[in-house]
Amino acid sequence: MYAWLFQGVSVWGRLWEVSLSIPTGVTAVLGANGSGKTTLLKLAARLLKPDKGLVIGPRRVGAALQNPYLGFLGPTVAEDLARTAGGRGAALSLLREAGLEYAAERSPFTLSMGEARILSVLMAVSWQPEAVVIDEPTSGLDVSGRRWLARVIAGLDTPVLIAGHDLDFAAAVADWAVVLGEGRVRAEGYMDTILETISRRPDLGLEPGPAVKAALERGLDPRCTARCVYGVGR
Ligand SMILES: Nc1ncnc2c1ncn2[C@@H]1O[C@H](COP(=O)(O)OP(=O)(O)OP(=O)(O)O)[C@@H](O)[C@H]1O
Ligand SMILES: [Mg+2]
């Protein structure tokens, strides 16, 4: 069962005839800077049209962008979230659960990077989308923010695409992974397999995070270890 199918997709001369089947569940898109992760997420969220090829997937996609401030309108945090959550009451309750209620009446543009990331994720998931994409989910988030986000992602029953450089977080939340490089798909498969591939193939330019690295060195299950770190179960 697939959430997205990419067929021979090219854009800007930077992604070259990418063909991919992305399963339902949570998928992590990995790769070096400029490898095309954000581009792939924008294509999946229909924020971008391919120059060539076809993207087949859900229509209503909630998107938390790499730069979270780009999704805000204002004038206040509560009003921005009320637009997606279906009203002020729902917005305030979501802000309370996320520990962000103290900022409800402020401009979203005054939020710190971590606070802005939390608001952008709440906006992406709160309008009952058919799928969710979250770019650089942990960028700017402290450890409790990362744990909160891992729980949010684990609780979603839609397909989810995340992109980024935090391999411990990806190992904790994603079942499937796609590695991009030089405009192409360099590896794809179950997260367990990809974590082993990454540690065997320095040419992919990816470093396992400390939890995954320690688990692999001790012969432990890296995904189980990463899930423990982020407090999410199977
Ligand atoms: N509008 C555009 N026109 C032309 N090239 C672009 C455009 N936007 C992005 N690119 C290029 O496409 C490539 C992939 O960019 P993308 O933002 O998808 O990378 P990324 O993997 O998300 O990188 P990072 O890890 O830095 O976020 C980069 O070389 C980038 O410069
Ligand atoms: Mg990016």
Side-chain angles (χ1 to χ4, degrees), residues 107-125:
S107 161
F109 301 103
T110 66
L111 295 178
S112 74
M113 180 54 89
E115 293 166 337
R117 182 81 53 206
I118 290 170
L119 177 60
S120 76
V121 169
L122 290 175
M123 289 173 68
V125 303

Side-chain angles (χ1 to χ4, degrees), residues 167-168 195 199 207-220 222 225:
L167 262 68
D168 279 353
L195 290 173
S199 50
E207 275 257 302
V212 166
K213 204 169 173 186
L216 288 172
E217 280 166 9
R218 290 168 177 77
L220 301 171
T225 309

